[in-house]
Amino acid sequence: MLIPHPLLGPRDAQEFTYLGDASLLDRPDGMADTAPEAFAEYVYLRDNPAGVHRELWFHEQGDRSWLIVTRNTVTHEILGAELARDVALAAIGGAQ
Amino acid sequence: MTRLSGGLIDRGTTLNFTFDGRAMTGHPGDTLASALLANDVRLIGRSFKYHRPRGLVAAGSEEPNGMVELRSGARREPNTRATMAELFDGLSADSQNRMGSLGFDLLAVNDLMSPFFAAGFYYKTFMWPRAFWEKLYEPMIRRAAGLGSLSMLPDPDSYDKGFLHCDLLVIGGGAAGLAAALTAARAGARVILADEDFRLGGRLLAESHTLDDAPATDWIAQAEAEFASLPNLRVMRRTTVFGAFDHGIYGAVERVGDHLVTPGKGVRQTLWRITAKRTVLAAGATERHIPFANNDRPGVMLAGAMRAYANRWAVSPAQTVAIFTNGDDGHRTALDLAAKGVSIAGVIDTRADARAQGDYPLFAGAVVSDTKGRLGLKRIAVTREGQTQWIEAGALGVAGGWNPNVHLASHHRGRPVWNDDLLAFLPEPGAVPGMVVAGAANGQGSTHGALHSGAQTALAALAELGITAPAPDLPRAEDAPVTQAAFWHVPGKGRAWVDFQNDVTVKDIKLAHQENMRPVEHLKRWTTLGMATDQGKTANVTALAVMAELSGQSIPATGTTIFRPPYTGVSLSVLGGGDTGPNFRPRRLTPTHEWAASQGAVFVEVGQWMRAQYFPRKGETHWRETVDREVLATRAGVGLCDVTTLGKVDVQGADAGEFLNRIYANAMGSLKVGMVRYGLMLREDGHAYDDGTCARLAEDHYVVTTTTAQAGPVYRHMEFARQCLWPDLDVQLISTTDAWAQISVAGPNARKLLERVVDGFDLSNAAFPFMACSELTVCKGLRARLFRISFSGELAYEIAVPARYGNALMARMIELGADLGATPYGTEALGVLRIEKGHAAGNELNGQTTAQMLGMGRMVSTKKDSIGAVMSRREGLTAETRVLVGLQPVDPGARVAAGMHLFAQGAAQNTQSDQGWITSACYSPHVGSMIGLGFLADGAARIGEVITGANPLEGQSTALRVVSPHFVDPEGGRLRD
Amino acid sequence: MRFSGFRVVKEALTGHHGWKPLWRNPAPQPAYDYVIVGGGGHGLATAYHLAKVFKGTRIAVLEKGWLGSGNIGRNTTIIRSNYLLPGNEPFYEFSMKLWETMEQEFNFNAMVSQRGIVNLIHTDAQRDAYRRRGNAMLLAGADAELLDRDGVRAMYPWLNFDNARFPIKGGLLQRRAGTARHDGVAWGYARGADLLGVDIIQNCEVTGFRIENNRVIGVETSRGYIGAKKVGVAVAGSSGRVMAMAGMRLPIESHVLQAFVSEGLKPVVDGVITFGAGHFYVSQSDKGGLVFGGDIDGYNSYAQRGNLPVIEDVAEGGMALMPAIGRARLLRAWGGIMDMSMDGSPIIDRTPVDGLYLNAGWCYGGFKATPASGYAFAHLLATDRPHETATAYRLDRFARGYVIDEKGMGAQPNLH
């Protein structure tokens, strides 16, 4: 597979390490009263879609950036890739 | 058999080869198959199940029968298709899958037993008595099965791997592929043209057709000349594109040296990963058979193959041949062979309205219904309107129509689409993104059609890349339409083979139908159809047609045929490439490796690292003797150990402290500058992840260490936290594991030794207490970092210098510390020292344990949110009572082994009463017996109790006393001195 | 019809006219007591045991394609019970005991072949871990032997002992482990279930659950609505998709695992060999093909196909361990969709929806579990209580912290 790195262009997927669903960005507040339930869901439950999936890849043999790659799990077609940090920052901005 | 006229062989040169030890000759340009035919060899092998005598069926990579063991000794290559083995001088080949000689195979008894060996028979028997399966039935089956045999000697040849990139990959160098490559290369696109053959041209080489009224080879030669002048085109002969993977990546094997006696210093094969923006699949088509009774005799072959042997290789399998066809294509074979002087016994055409196209006997509306000739065809039965006559023929060419080679187009699980006009499956358009199909592979099988579709698909593919190209001027060529009747098999009583190699007959398909094994995949699995080395290239569609007939459905309604990689077999050697033996994984050497090697160290694999395991001295006869000495020397004087492999992460930024607060279970933000703290990381699921030290060198600068095994994962995890969880924190990370050489200096003399290398740095206990850290210089100006931390329980430091000085620093300290007893120690002594001190390491931090089990439950701060904190408080983790304890044998001479399970004394030993296990064990020279660390239920409350360490695996049961895990200096006085 | 050697001979002599369909092609009934979703190994074994052991009646297995089309027909056929943890080992040993008797019980030769499995040891830490595991196996009533280097060499002298990056230091041997003919297992259970009256309905895709008052009352299918008192879902890699129709998210990701077979070869590998320092395991089928595999590709996938890097990685491992197989050729590669769970262990449990039961999360180890999985799932469906060897396979173990993590990898499915 080829991962379209937003800064470096298409890179062989072998340069990357895969983590999983990009929902891992949405870490719950550990000090909240609902933390036990929220974390159980965050850590263990997945949508696991057959189709478009936003997922985390780490450019371990490259620039060490975490990417969010949007990929179809049925066809393996990649629809885009973003820097996870940008997405995470935007989420914080949106919350403020 | 003498050679026919013409052909693309170099008659001026003679090549010597042997088959089953018989000396024979051939010419450059021959394959082993054509050379065998030229030497009158028709019997080449034995079938898989019935051990029927078999000869060549095809002339290309689809060959199901003609397989040999090529070469000998360690280079023996089983199941090699004679049709794909390019002849070279000195080639040796042997027939395979026989017991006895090829002509008299003892296992041919299976053929007599064939009624008992019908499809699926083994599922129905061999069940009684139960123990007989492994002992009797299965060994018999295994011995009879298999095809060729491996030498079981290591492959002596070299292999390589590489990457290639192109705009357009053209797969197949026949008419369509050549036209596509020419078109694209002339337009300046970066083109790769790959063909499995050693000669470009594909079917053009096998036919007598002309291009612009000249032999096709003239046009091919022109094209090749032009190719040579185009730097943007790479022609790859002897290269099989075997798989279509994601995002335009194709796997290909180039047989670089397979046509040589040995590859010499070169590689035998190269694995290419070709990344193509677009691909033209021009893989041609494979002719299919028409099953009839006893259609598997040597001499019965595909008519197109017969034509190829005559036109390209100037051989005929016999002086007198017959043709069995359901279309015009068979007549072409008759004409071509007749033109070469081969006598045509007759063309048997299933069509009642068929007409002879030359001077040969025609049997219209007739079929071949049987054959004779045990080791080679002698005569055939021709049946017309119920009347049968026998005709003498040494060979029979069968023309059942052509199946487009859709394989690569279905590697993304695309479903080929049935075409009623062509009576064939065509590739599903768009099934592989970026791939278009041209020529016979797409049903455009006339020479004209192939040339033009090749050019057109290339133009269309280039247009998608924004490259415009003029349509090439293509030569005039035949454009005969496909004229063929749907005729799939000859009904009758005898066995009619569909899959030659695996011995699947029409009867087997009928039986599968009768037993409701009707879905195509059930059919294949029940009968083993299409599972042979040829992947059913000549069989699958015919089998579908037979099943369709039986079930009264159309062929497409019955199913389709898809293919998986690889297109043809790929040697495991080339897939493995050169990365085998000692090169299987990279070898990471520590900065002091050279010095350690010079001291005679024994090294051990620790992940990718090679670490010094121990340093034997003259006179030491056992590793334990050496390790005991290293341990005692460290505890008595000073020991030095390279600990560079522990991971190091530099953490900088205004929010570094806050960041580490969230990474570690315990607080790090409150750590004073110049101090170090032990840190425990949890995974988000609350289990212990990794431990190490965290040193604060400045307000905004920490250095974190990890275990050796987790150096990579922990860094990745920290980057995840930084980039994905808390991008708003001002913090930067970099792994410095390889940048700093780190040496542990441990023992009562550690301070004295270090005082001799530091540049005026005050090492006194007051100035540099336990858990202090500092940047400093050593050895007159070399920058360094010093940490007063201890893994051994002794007064100890770790000193870090830029990696390239590690070797020198080690040598220097050993030299300077000679009078202090400075002793290098390896990973074995390191392990003993830490077990004696009760420090957790990999065996305790195995990903299944918790902070509580490690006795560190209180380290998990409840005042802050850190990774894993919430989940560490789940019921299942807090209810866990097993904690780390020390274990000492009641009998000091008894063995303690990691992996023993722990039981209350006298308790039954089973899963239910299991109370824990021993994680680490060693001989402790300090204690004077073996000792262990382990997790024991309610362990904290059981100090002093005698329990049982059970090791039934090694027939051992040992009485163990539960003790504190800190065998050495439990109060920690030594490390604070 | 009873299969036997006698029957084979009789049919051979009389032209094979007497063979009957291995199973019927029944039309779906309007309603069943038990509907099993998924006609793979686990679903068929569940139906078989429901009917045979628990005397259930009115049972249907719904299969969206052809029976056995999922992972039961695309695995590397290894059976073993060499697990470590108490939540797993008794279950897999129960499975092993069922393997040892199933063929005679369902009257079909699934070619269960106990030729042994060796897990190779390359480091002292690995030996420690295998000693712990081997002891756990023995304590659970399974068999295990610890081999030293010479012990391994005696079994497989052509392994790479002398020129290896990670030298072989020994192995953990389970002699009762081995292989079985994967399709034969599916067919044996299917035929056995059919003979007991189970309706196996192929080409019948479940498209939804009908749930009233939090109780499942039936399933919508491509062949119409089918009522059911109890519905058991055993759909492996499709678990996420199917359970989403019941509104559930699962602790599961679907990943692709590739497996490989070489061209047929005369016998060289007698048992199963697992190369711990690389990613490679191998056995040799009765037909002569080397059957081998390695790691999952590592990314979520429903594609039933994988990519070249893993093929290379597996071949590298194979060549590093067995340099003498280099001249054999890879014949076929295929991919299966694995229901990779968050702790690497399965789930056999009720769900929050009454009457709806789940059997999932087998990762790439589902084949060896087939008999016990079917038995335990049938037990749960019939009695509403977990089988005694499957009590740990609860859905709520994740939230409650009772994970069964053999590899200690935590909540990352592609590492299990």
Side-chain angles (χ1 to χ4, degrees), chain B residues 77 79 97 123 127 130 134 138 157 522 570 874 876 898 954, chain C residues 67 100 104 109 113-114 131 181 264 266 327 329-330 398 400:
Chain B
E77 195 188 334
N79 306 333
N97 200 34
Y123 296 109
M127 286 176 272
R130 188 158 70 85
E134 284 92 347
E138 192 182 42
D157 288 335
H522 283 171
V570 180
R874 282 179 294 168
E954 292 169 292
Chain C
L67 72 86
E100 287 171 331
Q104 287 69 31
N109 186 352
S113 178
Q114 295 178 290
R131 190 182 289 113
R181 169 80 188 131
K266 291 297 175 198
R327 298 249 163 187
R329 292 188 200 86
L330 171 69
F398 300 97
R400 295 177 59 228

mmCIF file of all heavy atoms in Angstrom, chain B residues 77 79 97 123 127 130 134 138 157 522 570 874 876 898 954, chain C residues 67 100 104 109 113-114 131 181 264 266 327 329-330 398 400:
data_model
loop_
_atom_site.group_PDB
_atom_site.id
_atom_site.type_symbol
_atom_site.label_atom_id
_atom_site.label_comp_id
_atom_site.label_asym_id
_atom_site.label_seq_id
_atom_site.Cartn_x
_atom_site.Cartn_y
_atom_site.Cartn_z
ATOM 1 N N GLU B 77 15.256 -28.522 -8.177
ATOM 2 C CA GLU B 77 14.080 -27.665 -8.157
ATOM 3 C C GLU B 77 12.880 -28.502 -8.590
ATOM 4 O O GLU B 77 12.679 -28.727 -9.782
ATOM 5 C CB GLU B 77 14.333 -26.531 -9.150
ATOM 6 C CG GLU B 77 13.429 -25.368 -9.029
ATOM 7 C CD GLU B 77 13.680 -24.434 -10.198
ATOM 8 O OE1 GLU B 77 14.789 -24.430 -10.765
ATOM 9 O OE2 GLU B 77 12.736 -23.735 -10.561
ATOM 10 N N ASN B 79 9.041 -29.866 -9.408
ATOM 11 C CA ASN B 79 7.816 -29.350 -10.045
ATOM 12 C C ASN B 79 8.097 -28.261 -11.072
ATOM 13 O O ASN B 79 7.296 -27.350 -11.256
ATOM 14 C CB ASN B 79 6.839 -28.811 -9.001
ATOM 15 C CG ASN B 79 6.526 -29.828 -7.925
ATOM 16 O OD1 ASN B 79 6.594 -31.024 -8.172
ATOM 17 N ND2 ASN B 79 6.209 -29.369 -6.749
ATOM 18 N N ASN B 97 7.547 -37.930 -9.006
ATOM 19 C CA ASN B 97 6.301 -38.555 -8.565
ATOM 20 C C ASN B 97 6.135 -39.959 -9.131
ATOM 21 O O ASN B 97 5.116 -40.302 -9.705
ATOM 22 C CB ASN B 97 5.085 -37.689 -8.959
ATOM 23 C CG ASN B 97 3.865 -38.043 -8.109
ATOM 24 O OD1 ASN B 97 4.010 -38.379 -6.933
ATOM 25 N ND2 ASN B 97 2.685 -37.999 -8.694
ATOM 26 N N TYR B 123 -12.729 -38.859 2.686
ATOM 27 C CA TYR B 123 -13.538 -38.311 3.784
ATOM 28 C C TYR B 123 -14.482 -39.365 4.359
ATOM 29 O O TYR B 123 -15.069 -39.178 5.413
ATOM 30 C CB TYR B 123 -14.376 -37.130 3.300
ATOM 31 C CG TYR B 123 -13.567 -35.955 2.839
ATOM 32 C CD1 TYR B 123 -13.488 -35.620 1.491
ATOM 33 C CD2 TYR B 123 -12.875 -35.166 3.752
ATOM 34 C CE1 TYR B 123 -12.746 -34.537 1.055
ATOM 35 C CE2 TYR B 123 -12.129 -34.086 3.336
ATOM 36 C CZ TYR B 123 -12.063 -33.774 1.986
ATOM 37 O OH TYR B 123 -11.329 -32.702 1.568
ATOM 38 N N MET B 127 -11.470 -44.289 8.997
ATOM 39 C CA MET B 127 -11.774 -43.765 10.320
ATOM 40 C C MET B 127 -11.604 -44.814 11.412
ATOM 41 O O MET B 127 -11.618 -44.492 12.580
ATOM 42 C CB MET B 127 -13.199 -43.221 10.358
ATOM 43 C CG MET B 127 -13.338 -41.879 9.620
ATOM 44 S SD MET B 127 -15.035 -41.291 9.558
ATOM 45 C CE MET B 127 -15.645 -42.058 8.084
ATOM 46 N N ARG B 130 -9.326 -45.797 15.186
ATOM 47 C CA ARG B 130 -8.930 -44.393 15.214
ATOM 48 C C ARG B 130 -7.406 -44.212 15.130
ATOM 49 O O ARG B 130 -6.912 -43.367 14.394
ATOM 50 C CB ARG B 130 -9.468 -43.754 16.484
ATOM 51 C CG ARG B 130 -9.293 -42.276 16.528
ATOM 52 C CD ARG B 130 -10.280 -41.655 17.502
ATOM 53 N NE ARG B 130 -9.967 -41.959 18.889
ATOM 54 C CZ ARG B 130 -9.116 -41.276 19.620
ATOM 55 N NH1 ARG B 130 -8.485 -40.254 19.101
ATOM 56 N NH2 ARG B 130 -8.886 -41.594 20.866
ATOM 57 N N GLU B 134 -2.962 -41.901 11.918
ATOM 58 C CA GLU B 134 -1.597 -41.380 11.930
ATOM 59 C C GLU B 134 -0.569 -42.470 11.639
ATOM 60 O O GLU B 134 0.489 -42.197 11.107
ATOM 61 C CB GLU B 134 -1.262 -40.737 13.279
ATOM 62 C CG GLU B 134 -1.879 -39.371 13.483
ATOM 63 C CD GLU B 134 -3.231 -39.443 14.160
ATOM 64 O OE1 GLU B 134 -3.783 -40.563 14.244
ATOM 65 O OE2 GLU B 134 -3.737 -38.401 14.598
ATOM 66 N N GLU B 138 -2.574 -42.456 6.929
ATOM 67 C CA GLU B 138 -2.018 -41.170 6.514
ATOM 68 C C GLU B 138 -0.593 -41.283 5.968
ATOM 69 O O GLU B 138 -0.282 -40.690 4.932
ATOM 70 C CB GLU B 138 -2.092 -40.175 7.663
ATOM 71 C CG GLU B 138 -1.796 -38.760 7.204
ATOM 72 C CD GLU B 138 -1.822 -37.758 8.329
ATOM 73 O OE1 GLU B 138 -1.308 -38.054 9.412
ATOM 74 O OE2 GLU B 138 -2.375 -36.662 8.122
ATOM 75 N N ASP B 157 22.122 -20.569 -3.871
ATOM 76 C CA ASP B 157 22.149 -19.401 -4.746
ATOM 77 C C ASP B 157 21.780 -18.108 -4.015
ATOM 78 O O ASP B 157 21.243 -18.126 -2.915
ATOM 79 C CB ASP B 157 21.197 -19.614 -5.926
ATOM 80 C CG ASP B 157 21.752 -20.646 -6.907
ATOM 81 O OD1 ASP B 157 22.986 -20.809 -6.937
ATOM 82 O OD2 ASP B 157 20.951 -21.295 -7.600
ATOM 83 N N HIS B 522 -17.185 -25.609 -3.445
ATOM 84 C CA HIS B 522 -17.329 -26.972 -2.918
ATOM 85 C C HIS B 522 -16.810 -27.981 -3.929
ATOM 86 O O HIS B 522 -16.107 -28.936 -3.573
ATOM 87 C CB HIS B 522 -18.802 -27.269 -2.600
ATOM 88 C CG HIS B 522 -19.268 -26.633 -1.315
ATOM 89 N ND1 HIS B 522 -20.585 -26.622 -0.945
ATOM 90 C CD2 HIS B 522 -18.595 -25.987 -0.339
ATOM 91 C CE1 HIS B 522 -20.702 -26.000 0.233
ATOM 92 N NE2 HIS B 522 -19.508 -25.607 0.610
ATOM 93 N N VAL B 570 6.102 -19.083 -7.227
ATOM 94 C CA VAL B 570 7.257 -18.221 -6.979
ATOM 95 C C VAL B 570 8.120 -18.898 -5.925
ATOM 96 O O VAL B 570 7.613 -19.325 -4.881
ATOM 97 C CB VAL B 570 6.803 -16.837 -6.462
ATOM 98 C CG1 VAL B 570 8.011 -15.956 -6.202
ATOM 99 C CG2 VAL B 570 5.857 -16.174 -7.447
ATOM 100 N N ARG B 874 -10.034 -0.862 37.759
ATOM 101 C CA ARG B 874 -11.130 -1.794 37.507
ATOM 102 C C ARG B 874 -11.092 -2.947 38.504
ATOM 103 O O ARG B 874 -10.022 -3.355 38.963
ATOM 104 C CB ARG B 874 -11.030 -2.361 36.085
ATOM 105 C CG ARG B 874 -11.522 -1.412 35.023
ATOM 106 C CD ARG B 874 -11.358 -2.038 33.652
ATOM 107 N NE ARG B 874 -9.947 -2.214 33.312
ATOM 108 C CZ ARG B 874 -9.505 -2.931 32.281
ATOM 109 N NH1 ARG B 874 -10.361 -3.560 31.521
ATOM 110 N NH2 ARG B 874 -8.221 -3.009 32.040
ATOM 111 N N GLY B 876 -11.292 -6.160 38.222
ATOM 112 C CA GLY B 876 -10.437 -7.306 37.927
ATOM 113 C C GLY B 876 -8.982 -7.047 38.265
ATOM 114 O O GLY B 876 -8.234 -7.986 38.577
ATOM 115 N N ALA B 898 12.483 -20.486 36.458
ATOM 116 C CA ALA B 898 11.417 -19.598 35.999
ATOM 117 C C ALA B 898 10.421 -20.443 35.216
ATOM 118 O O ALA B 898 10.815 -21.284 34.411
ATOM 119 C CB ALA B 898 11.981 -18.500 35.125
ATOM 120 N N GLU B 954 9.390 -30.739 33.731
ATOM 121 C CA GLU B 954 10.713 -31.333 33.883
ATOM 122 C C GLU B 954 10.755 -32.263 35.103
ATOM 123 O O GLU B 954 11.825 -32.501 35.663
ATOM 124 C CB GLU B 954 11.765 -30.225 33.993
ATOM 125 C CG GLU B 954 11.910 -29.466 32.684
ATOM 126 C CD GLU B 954 12.734 -28.190 32.827
ATOM 127 O OE1 GLU B 954 12.259 -27.247 33.485
ATOM 128 O OE2 GLU B 954 13.829 -28.141 32.266
ATOM 129 N N LEU C 67 -21.688 -22.964 2.467
ATOM 130 C CA LEU C 67 -21.280 -23.342 3.816
ATOM 131 C C LEU C 67 -19.785 -23.611 3.845
ATOM 132 O O LEU C 67 -19.221 -24.195 2.919
ATOM 133 C CB LEU C 67 -22.095 -24.533 4.327
ATOM 134 C CG LEU C 67 -21.893 -25.946 3.787
ATOM 135 C CD1 LEU C 67 -20.776 -26.661 4.518
ATOM 136 C CD2 LEU C 67 -23.183 -26.713 3.915
ATOM 137 N N GLU C 100 -10.270 -35.331 19.096
ATOM 138 C CA GLU C 100 -9.805 -36.717 19.115
ATOM 139 C C GLU C 100 -10.937 -37.721 18.905
ATOM 140 O O GLU C 100 -10.681 -38.881 18.621
ATOM 141 C CB GLU C 100 -9.073 -36.995 20.441
ATOM 142 C CG GLU C 100 -7.697 -36.317 20.474
ATOM 143 C CD GLU C 100 -7.027 -36.373 21.829
ATOM 144 O OE1 GLU C 100 -7.738 -36.409 22.849
ATOM 145 O OE2 GLU C 100 -5.775 -36.367 21.857
ATOM 146 N N GLN C 104 -15.212 -40.152 14.495
ATOM 147 C CA GLN C 104 -16.026 -41.339 14.721
ATOM 148 C C GLN C 104 -17.444 -40.918 15.107
ATOM 149 O O GLN C 104 -18.413 -41.583 14.765
ATOM 150 C CB GLN C 104 -15.400 -42.200 15.828
ATOM 151 C CG GLN C 104 -14.144 -42.945 15.392
ATOM 152 C CD GLN C 104 -12.959 -42.020 15.131
ATOM 153 O OE1 GLN C 104 -12.830 -40.960 15.756
ATOM 154 N NE2 GLN C 104 -12.109 -42.386 14.190
ATOM 155 N N ASN C 109 -14.404 -38.426 7.871
ATOM 156 C CA ASN C 109 -12.963 -38.343 8.106
ATOM 157 C C ASN C 109 -12.489 -36.917 7.857
ATOM 158 O O ASN C 109 -12.355 -36.483 6.722
ATOM 159 C CB ASN C 109 -12.219 -39.317 7.185
ATOM 160 C CG ASN C 109 -10.730 -39.360 7.492
ATOM 161 O OD1 ASN C 109 -10.226 -38.568 8.290
ATOM 162 N ND2 ASN C 109 -10.033 -40.285 6.864
ATOM 163 N N SER C 113 -5.040 -35.190 12.485
ATOM 164 C CA SER C 113 -3.745 -35.854 12.446
ATOM 165 C C SER C 113 -2.860 -35.290 13.543
ATOM 166 O O SER C 113 -2.419 -34.151 13.468
ATOM 167 C CB SER C 113 -3.126 -35.625 11.071
ATOM 168 O OG SER C 113 -1.868 -36.219 11.021
ATOM 169 N N GLN C 114 -2.606 -36.100 14.556
ATOM 170 C CA GLN C 114 -1.863 -35.605 15.727
ATOM 171 C C GLN C 114 -0.378 -35.867 15.539
ATOM 172 O O GLN C 114 0.180 -36.782 16.133
ATOM 173 C CB GLN C 114 -2.423 -36.260 16.985
ATOM 174 C CG GLN C 114 -3.873 -35.820 17.225
ATOM 175 C CD GLN C 114 -4.485 -36.477 18.436
ATOM 176 O OE1 GLN C 114 -4.742 -37.672 18.429
ATOM 177 N NE2 GLN C 114 -4.702 -35.704 19.484
ATOM 178 N N ARG C 131 8.313 -22.621 29.659
ATOM 179 C CA ARG C 131 8.247 -23.527 30.799
ATOM 180 C C ARG C 131 6.968 -23.234 31.593
ATOM 181 O O ARG C 131 6.244 -24.139 31.985
ATOM 182 C CB ARG C 131 9.487 -23.376 31.679
ATOM 183 C CG ARG C 131 9.573 -24.478 32.740
ATOM 184 C CD ARG C 131 10.775 -24.315 33.667
ATOM 185 N NE ARG C 131 12.043 -24.587 33.015
ATOM 186 C CZ ARG C 131 12.972 -23.656 32.783
ATOM 187 N NH1 ARG C 131 12.771 -22.399 33.159
ATOM 188 N NH2 ARG C 131 14.101 -23.981 32.200
ATOM 189 N N ARG C 181 -8.088 -31.543 8.309
ATOM 190 C CA ARG C 181 -8.480 -31.056 6.980
ATOM 191 C C ARG C 181 -9.612 -30.060 7.183
ATOM 192 O O ARG C 181 -10.727 -30.440 7.559
ATOM 193 C CB ARG C 181 -8.915 -32.245 6.135
ATOM 194 C CG ARG C 181 -9.592 -31.915 4.848
ATOM 195 C CD ARG C 181 -8.641 -31.550 3.740
ATOM 196 N NE ARG C 181 -9.438 -31.063 2.623
ATOM 197 C CZ ARG C 181 -9.216 -29.940 1.962
ATOM 198 N NH1 ARG C 181 -8.176 -29.196 2.261
ATOM 199 N NH2 ARG C 181 -9.995 -29.561 0.985
ATOM 200 N N GLY C 264 2.922 -29.041 -4.385
ATOM 201 C CA GLY C 264 3.022 -30.340 -3.727
ATOM 202 C C GLY C 264 4.451 -30.852 -3.716
ATOM 203 O O GLY C 264 5.182 -30.723 -4.697
ATOM 204 N N LYS C 266 7.068 -34.125 -1.913
ATOM 205 C CA LYS C 266 7.138 -35.352 -1.126
ATOM 206 C C LYS C 266 7.339 -34.969 0.346
ATOM 207 O O LYS C 266 7.946 -33.940 0.643
ATOM 208 C CB LYS C 266 8.287 -36.236 -1.626
ATOM 209 C CG LYS C 266 8.043 -36.825 -3.016
ATOM 210 C CD LYS C 266 6.839 -37.756 -3.024
ATOM 211 C CE LYS C 266 6.531 -38.249 -4.428
ATOM 212 N NZ LYS C 266 5.162 -38.785 -4.528
ATOM 213 N N ARG C 327 13.813 -23.856 -2.712
ATOM 214 C CA ARG C 327 13.539 -24.212 -4.109
ATOM 215 C C ARG C 327 12.107 -24.683 -4.305
ATOM 216 O O ARG C 327 11.723 -25.046 -5.415
ATOM 217 C CB ARG C 327 14.521 -25.279 -4.571
ATOM 218 C CG ARG C 327 15.976 -24.779 -4.534
ATOM 219 C CD ARG C 327 16.523 -24.620 -5.934
ATOM 220 N NE ARG C 327 17.709 -23.787 -5.910
ATOM 221 C CZ ARG C 327 18.334 -23.366 -7.011
ATOM 222 N NH1 ARG C 327 17.891 -23.707 -8.207
ATOM 223 N NH2 ARG C 327 19.375 -22.588 -6.933
ATOM 224 N N ARG C 329 8.114 -23.748 -4.416
ATOM 225 C CA ARG C 329 7.447 -22.534 -4.882
ATOM 226 C C ARG C 329 6.149 -22.292 -4.125
ATOM 227 O O ARG C 329 5.402 -23.229 -3.828
ATOM 228 C CB ARG C 329 7.108 -22.637 -6.366
ATOM 229 C CG ARG C 329 8.316 -22.649 -7.253
ATOM 230 C CD ARG C 329 7.905 -22.549 -8.729
ATOM 231 N NE ARG C 329 8.997 -23.041 -9.539
ATOM 232 C CZ ARG C 329 9.172 -24.320 -9.835
ATOM 233 N NH1 ARG C 329 8.311 -25.212 -9.420
ATOM 234 N NH2 ARG C 329 10.201 -24.690 -10.564
ATOM 235 N N LEU C 330 5.919 -21.029 -3.858
ATOM 236 C CA LEU C 330 4.625 -20.615 -3.338
ATOM 237 C C LEU C 330 3.587 -20.826 -4.442
ATOM 238 O O LEU C 330 3.742 -20.343 -5.559
ATOM 239 C CB LEU C 330 4.673 -19.127 -2.964
ATOM 240 C CG LEU C 330 3.336 -18.487 -2.607
ATOM 241 C CD1 LEU C 330 2.814 -19.038 -1.288
ATOM 242 C CD2 LEU C 330 3.479 -16.982 -2.519
ATOM 243 N N PHE C 398 -14.069 -6.929 29.660
ATOM 244 C CA PHE C 398 -13.233 -5.772 29.307
ATOM 245 C C PHE C 398 -13.506 -4.617 30.262
ATOM 246 O O PHE C 398 -12.590 -4.036 30.830
ATOM 247 C CB PHE C 398 -13.488 -5.382 27.854
ATOM 248 C CG PHE C 398 -13.165 -6.495 26.909
ATOM 249 C CD1 PHE C 398 -14.145 -7.342 26.429
ATOM 250 C CD2 PHE C 398 -11.851 -6.728 26.540
ATOM 251 C CE1 PHE C 398 -13.838 -8.387 25.585
ATOM 252 C CE2 PHE C 398 -11.525 -7.768 25.691
ATOM 253 C CZ PHE C 398 -12.528 -8.611 25.207
ATOM 254 N N ARG C 400 -14.833 -4.847 33.123
ATOM 255 C CA ARG C 400 -14.589 -5.223 34.515
ATOM 256 C C ARG C 400 -13.124 -5.551 34.802
ATOM 257 O O ARG C 400 -12.734 -5.698 35.955
ATOM 258 C CB ARG C 400 -15.463 -6.424 34.893
ATOM 259 C CG ARG C 400 -16.962 -6.085 34.865
ATOM 260 C CD ARG C 400 -17.829 -7.294 35.178
ATOM 261 N NE ARG C 400 -17.523 -7.836 36.487
ATOM 262 C CZ ARG C 400 -17.320 -9.132 36.745
ATOM 263 N NH1 ARG C 400 -17.385 -10.009 35.769
ATOM 264 N NH2 ARG C 400 -17.051 -9.540 37.956
#
